[in-house]
Amino acid sequence: FETLRQMRNEARRKYVAPLRERIEKLGRYVFEESFGVELSDDLQVQSRTLDGRTVPFRDLSVGTQEQISVITRLACAMTVSPNGGVPVVLDDALGYSDPERLQQMGAVLARAGREMQVIVLTCMPDRYRNVGGAHVVRLG
């Protein structure tokens, strides 16, 4: 049991650094160059840092939590499969984002879409108009 737990923990540690790096790289499209995150051993975002100020994830605004969560999902998919990622399906995400953040998140989705398939289901297509290169399929 101890050997299995040690091996599991070692495998998790190997994922933490690459995942954090991808989250921070994508997050800088939305936030700024000083954007950083701290991940727990179970790969959950524990806090966000901007300009040297660290705030626990639970204390961030709902919109910021949602944006970081989407970025984390994209980064995770890119990390587990570096040769094309794995598909990510978003269902009406970013409902708590203001227009400026929607524009920035559009850049994140477009960037991730160059490496992997990102499928967005929405009844508010205008929310995603800033996703460059998106292929839109309207359902009747």
Side-chain angles (χ1 to χ4, degrees):
F1 176 78
E2 288 301 318
T3 301
L4 287 174
R5 183 180 6 201
Q6 182 181 11
M7 297 304 284
R8 181 189 65 203
N9 291 341
E10 184 178 323
R12 283 182 181 160
R13 282 191 295 275
K14 287 181 181 179
Y15 278 111
V16 170
L19 178 59
R20 186 181 66 244
E21 289 170 12
R22 286 185 191 266
I23 292 170
E24 290 175 349
K25 184 176 181 180
L26 290 174
R28 290 180 180 129
Y29 283 89
V30 179
F31 302 100
E32 56 187 55
E33 272 311 300
S34 69
F35 174 76
V37 294
E38 190 62 39
L39 300 178
S40 67
D41 286 340
D42 60 354
L43 306 178
Q44 292 185 32
V45 175
Q46 295 296 299
S47 63
R48 182 218 51 196
T49 301
L50 283 178
D51 294 327
R53 183 170 177 250
T54 300
V55 177
F57 184 79
R58 68 182 178 280
D59 293 343
L60 297 169
S61 71
V62 174
T64 300
Q65 288 180 10
E66 183 178 44
Q67 293 148 18
I68 291 173
S69 295
V70 168
I71 289 167
T72 300
R73 286 182 62 195
L74 296 170
C76 185
M78 296 164 87
T79 300
V80 298
S81 182
N83 298 325
V86 295
V88 171
V89 178
L90 302 173
D91 187 3
D92 259 337
L94 306 176
Y96 295 98
S97 297
D98 61 46
E100 182 180 343
R101 287 282 171 89
L102 283 173
Q103 182 175 2
Q104 295 159 337
M105 285 301 294
V108 169
L109 292 169
R111 170 64 184 87
R114 289 196 297 265
E115 290 188 36
M116 55 189 263
Q117 185 178 30
V118 180
I119 300 168
V120 177
L121 305 173
T122 185
C123 60
M124 306 283 293
D126 199 46
R127 189 180 295 162
Y128 302 95
R129 72 174 181 269
N130 296 306
V131 180
H135 177 73
V136 177
V137 176
R138 296 191 187 279
L139 304 176

